[in-house]
Amino acid sequence: FFLVFFSSWFSYGSVLVLFGGGGASTVYYLLKKKKEIAGRIILLMAAGIISAVLNFVLFIRHFVFNSGLQGSWDFAYPPLHFSLAALLIWTRNVFALFFYMMLNYPFYWGLIFCLLGAAGLYLRNKSFLVMFMGVFFAVFIAALFRVYPYFERMILFLTPLFLILIGAAAELISFKKKWFNIVLSLALMFIIVYFPGKVALKQLQEPFAQQEIKPVMQFVSENFEKGQKVFVFKKSGPAFDYYFPKFGFLEDDLIFGEAFGNFIELYESDLAKTSEHEYVWFILSHITSEEVKNIEKFLNQKEHAIIFEYNMFSVGGIPPGYLRNGGGVSAFTFLCYFPKKSDDE
């Protein structure tokens, strides 16, 4: 009881596990006429409701209703106006991101394991399958109401559940012959370790960059000098707005960019605004490698010098990995000097 009560204070996601899994299990046991078990679950859920309401009123509501933070998470919510086909494609992309980018599993391999595991749970442990599905529906409904980002945060729920499904799939296709089960177990161990292992080894050799903008903003605020300007990349705006009050920047010091993607004319406009000033800090996050190249291309049209660069991994050099990893996962800054010609020249 006390564990459930305090769990939401340590993990917002645990509330969704409680209400999704607990709610689905309650309905399941009521239909099975097992009222005693359903009553225990309801009691635990009541503790969770009280705790979640207190947590929301005191803390979480400030994040849920923050427009800047919501803007940076916009991609993580289901489209507000969608057809069934668009929703299915969006959901497929959620799982493809998890299987391939997070665990490095090919999408269809992961899908096969999930289907086999679901079949195994249906045959041997229906109550767990009901709870399992309830969690997914709870997170999806929360995303529809824009109170929990679904797209990337699903990894919090999918990783342990995916491993359970692999075990259920192995049990489903196991045979009575001992030697076959040994071979099957070894094969599954190899499959489980091989794909994520490749990613882990790559990260040891080439650490992935981070998109956390807060330390970048802190670095700029600590090194900012009077007369300098701060250019904020278009897609960095929502996260920048959220942290902005904490770092003492003045509105007059800021230049908000309009360029993103391959809208070339917008890069020209941003360059015209920034090159009017002598020293400009560029703050970039949630940026792709293509967008980095576009910025570099237009900077090269003006005489300039990059004094130094900074991200969470280095000071003074090229941020490791922000191009190598395909972009979209890094935050960094650089101080750019645009020399001004004197009147004599």
Side-chain angles (χ1 to χ4, degrees), residues 11 14 37 75-76 99 106 120 124 144 167 169 172 210 217 232 245 266 319:
S11 171
S14 66
I37 298 176
F75 74 98
F99 288 134
R124 292 180 170 85
L144 280 176
L172 178 67
Q210 302 293 318
M217 292 176 64
V232 182
L266 296 179

Side-chain angles (χ1 to χ4, degrees), residues 210-223:
Q210 302 293 318
Q211 67 177 3
E212 174 56 58
I213 198 174
K214 184 178 178 181
V216 171
M217 292 176 64
Q218 182 173 350
F219 181 84
V220 173
S221 68
E222 291 172 353
N223 292 275

Side-chain angles (χ1 to χ4, degrees), residues 185-199:
S185 299
L186 292 174
L188 283 173
M189 286 175 60
F190 175 78
I191 292 171
I192 291 170
V193 173
Y194 175 72
F195 292 109
K198 283 172 57 179
V199 178

Side-chain angles (χ1 to χ4, degrees), residues 29-269:
Y29 285 115
L30 285 175
L31 292 174
K32 291 287 185 179
K33 302 187 184 304
K34 296 182 178 180
K35 296 181 180 179
E36 184 179 348
I37 298 176
R40 292 174 186 170
I41 297 173
I42 291 172
L43 182 63
L44 291 174
M45 290 178 64
I49 289 172
I50 297 171
S51 177
V53 169
L54 288 173
N55 193 13
F56 182 86
V57 171
L58 295 175
F59 300 107
I60 295 175
R61 65 187 178 91
H62 301 296
F63 299 101
V64 172
F65 298 117
N66 183 282
S67 59
L69 196 59
Q70 286 289 335
S72 68
W73 283 341
D74 193 60
F75 74 98
Y77 300 117
L80 293 178
H81 305 288
F82 52 78
S83 64
L84 179 59
L87 181 60
L88 289 174
I89 292 172
W90 184 86
T91 305
R92 186 266 180 199
N93 291 338
V94 171
F95 287 92
L97 176 78
F98 168 74
F99 288 134
Y100 185 70
M101 295 186 66
M102 302 303 182
L103 292 178
N104 207 33
Y105 277 97
F107 171 71
Y108 293 106
W109 279 52
L111 182 63
I112 290 170
F113 276 124
C114 283
L115 292 176
L116 285 173
L121 289 176
Y122 179 79
L123 293 173
R124 292 180 170 85
N125 196 340
K126 291 185 179 65
S127 62
F128 187 85
L129 179 62
V130 169
M131 181 180 70
F132 185 94
M133 297 304 297
V135 173
F136 285 101
F137 282 114
V139 178
F140 187 76
I141 291 170
L144 280 176
F145 286 95
R146 305 177 79 79
V147 296
Y148 196 81
Y150 189 91
F151 200 78
E152 290 180 339
R153 300 299 179 91
M154 276 302 293
I155 189 174
L156 300 174
F157 307 95
L158 286 173
T159 302
L161 297 178
F162 180 65
L163 295 176
I164 291 171
L165 283 177
I166 288 179
E171 186 179 10
L172 178 67
I173 60 178
S174 62
F175 291 86
K176 293 182 179 180
K177 293 182 179 180
K178 187 175 181 181
W179 68 266
F180 184 87
N181 287 336
I182 293 173
V183 173
L184 178 64
S185 299
L186 292 174
L188 283 173
M189 286 175 60
F190 175 78
I191 292 171
I192 291 170
V193 173
Y194 175 72
F195 292 109
K198 283 172 57 179
V199 178
L201 288 174
K202 183 179 179 182
Q203 288 196 47
L204 284 174
Q205 297 168 355
E206 302 177 355
F208 288 177
Q210 302 293 318
Q211 67 177 3
E212 174 56 58
I213 198 174
K214 184 178 178 181
V216 171
M217 292 176 64
Q218 182 173 350
F219 181 84
V220 173
S221 68
E222 291 172 353
N223 292 275
F224 183 85
E225 296 181 4
K226 187 177 180 180
Q228 296 178 346
K229 298 292 182 181
V230 176
F231 171 83
V232 182
F233 178 60
K234 171 74 172 179
K235 286 159 60 178
S236 308
F240 184 92
D241 288 342
Y242 176 73
Y243 291 114
F244 168 74
K246 301 180 181 180
F247 291 105
F249 294 111
L250 300 177
E251 293 283 353
D252 291 341
D253 298 331
L254 305 177
I255 303 169
F256 287 96
E258 295 295 330
F260 66 97
N262 287 314
F263 294 95
I264 303 303
E265 67 282 358
L266 296 179
Y267 289 94
E268 294 174 345
S269 174

Side-chain angles (χ1 to χ4, degrees), residues 271-315:
L271 177 63
K273 288 187 292 186
T274 55
S275 60
E276 293 174 357
H277 308 280
E278 194 169 14
Y279 289 95
V280 180
W281 289 93
F282 282 72
I283 291 182
L284 304 105
S285 68
H286 304 81
I287 188 168
T288 67
S289 57
E290 193 64 34
E291 288 165 334
V292 172
K293 290 174 184 176
N294 285 334
I295 290 173
E296 290 175 340
K297 175 183 175 182
F298 283 96
L299 277 177
N300 289 333
Q301 293 180 6
K302 290 276 187 179
E303 185 181 356
H304 74 284
I306 300 211
I307 298 177
F308 60 81
E309 302 179 69
Y310 165 84
N311 79 346
M312 293 176 67
F313 295 98
S314 69
V315 177

